[in-house]
Amino acid sequence: DIQMTQSPPFVSASVGDSVTITCRASQGITDWLAWYQHKQGKAPKLLIFAASTLQSGVPSRFSGTGSGTDFTLTITRLQPEDSATYYCQQGYTFPGGFTFGPGTKVDVK
Amino acid sequence: QVQLQESGPGLVRPSETLSLECSVSGSSLSNDYYWGWIRQPPGKGLQWIGNIYHSGTTYYNPSLKSRLTMSVDTSRNHFSLQLDSVTAADTAVYYCARLIYTGYGKRCFDYWGQGALVTVSS
């Protein structure tokens, strides 16, 4: 199994700030990595796939980088609506064996 | 517009079977997608449960495989989840989702249902 880790588990920032979340895979996954935003009581929302490609309709304040085992999600110009938990997910083992990271909760004050 | 909707009992007794259906509109199950189930236990993160193709081919999380059955009904455009011998640890919000895999880098869930809370309790 490929294990995914994320850091930090929690981050608090102010409106207008930038935050960077790190996701690490236990083995190389090339760029088969997606990022999701999940708000309480809502369906998770796909933000980024292929490590750095923005899903249609997602603001350009969100960006992703990385390849192999280390990946980052950066949110610039934070808005109150960005408060959510963010998860990475590897798709290297498609069509099965998917794994999610443990999540990073972002609180925008 | 693609929409998914989970349905099923919100309360299941321990040792019984948890059954959920996911109704899909705006996208045919027979098209070139996989369909998946993901759950979120209270206070925890997302856990992948399994994926199914319209042919009925399934891929399960190894930790659930012995208790899990997924099926697809293309005539009704829905797919289902059955989890046997449930315990309190199976209490979670269960999501169904569309897995897109055609196109560069696309092995991810692009549309999700709103989620269904299933509580395992006597």
Side-chain angles (χ1 to χ4, degrees):
Chain A
D1 287 10
I2 297 178
Q3 306 302 317
M4 307 299 291
T5 57
Q6 287 182 235
S7 62
F10 176 81
V11 59
S12 182
S14 299
V15 172
D17 286 352
S18 297
V19 296
T20 296
I21 300 167
T22 297
C23 174
R24 177 164 291 170
S26 61
Q27 65 184 73
I29 59 171
T30 60
D31 60 356
W32 294 108
L33 186 99
W35 289 97
Y36 300 86
Q37 177 191 67
H38 190 200
K39 298 182 180 181
Q40 186 79 4
K42 299 283 186 71
K45 176 184 177 182
L46 175 65
L47 296 175
I48 287 171
F49 59 90
S52 61
T53 303
L54 215 59
Q55 173 72 340
S56 176
V58 174
S60 59
R61 302 183 291 103
F62 293 86
S63 63
T65 64
S67 184
T69 60
D70 296 318
F71 303 86
T72 63
L73 172 70
T74 299
I75 314 170
T76 60
R77 304 185 304 279
L78 275 168
Q79 300 298 307
E81 61 265 29
D82 298 332
S83 291
T85 301
Y86 293 83
Y87 295 92
C88 59
Q89 170 248 314
Q90 64 83 13
Y92 182 78
T93 53
F94 173 86
F98 283 14
T99 41
F100 289 88
T104 294
K105 186 172 183 178
V106 174
D107 179 44
V108 182
K109 303 185 297 283
Chain B
Q1 182 176 346
V2 179
Q3 292 185 318
L4 294 88
Q5 180 66 58
E6 306 86 353
S7 61
L11 180 65
V12 181
R13 297 187 188 280
S15 79
E16 295 190 346
T17 296
L18 180 160
S19 297
L20 290 170
E21 283 189 1
C22 180
S23 298
V24 180
S25 59
S27 181
S28 171
L29 260 64
S30 298
N31 285 355
D32 224 1
Y33 302 102
Y34 278 76
W35 304 88
W37 289 98
I38 302 98
R39 70 181 183 180
Q40 183 180 32
K44 296 188 177 181
L46 299 173
Q47 180 187 30
W48 173 73
I49 298 173
N51 297 331
I52 188 166
Y53 197 55
H54 59 73
S55 62
T57 302
T58 54
Y59 300 87
Y60 295 156
N61 186 316
S63 69
L64 299 170
K65 186 174 183 178
S66 64
R67 301 189 291 128
L68 184 60
T69 303
M70 293 175 60
S71 60
V72 62
D73 185 341
T74 54
S75 65
R76 293 176 56 198
N77 220 45
H78 78 195
F79 60 105
S80 302
L81 163 76
Q82 284 190 61
L83 187 63
D84 298 329
S85 305
V86 297
T87 69
D90 295 309
T91 293
V93 176
Y94 286 76
Y95 296 95
C96 59
R98 188 178 81 170
L99 170 57
I100 188 167
Y101 72 100
T102 55
Y104 176 72
K106 289 187 174 181
R107 294 176 179 176
C108 51
F109 300 100
D110 63 346
Y111 287 95
W112 296 63
Q114 287 298 307
L117 174 61
V118 180
T119 301
V120 179
S121 175
S122 56

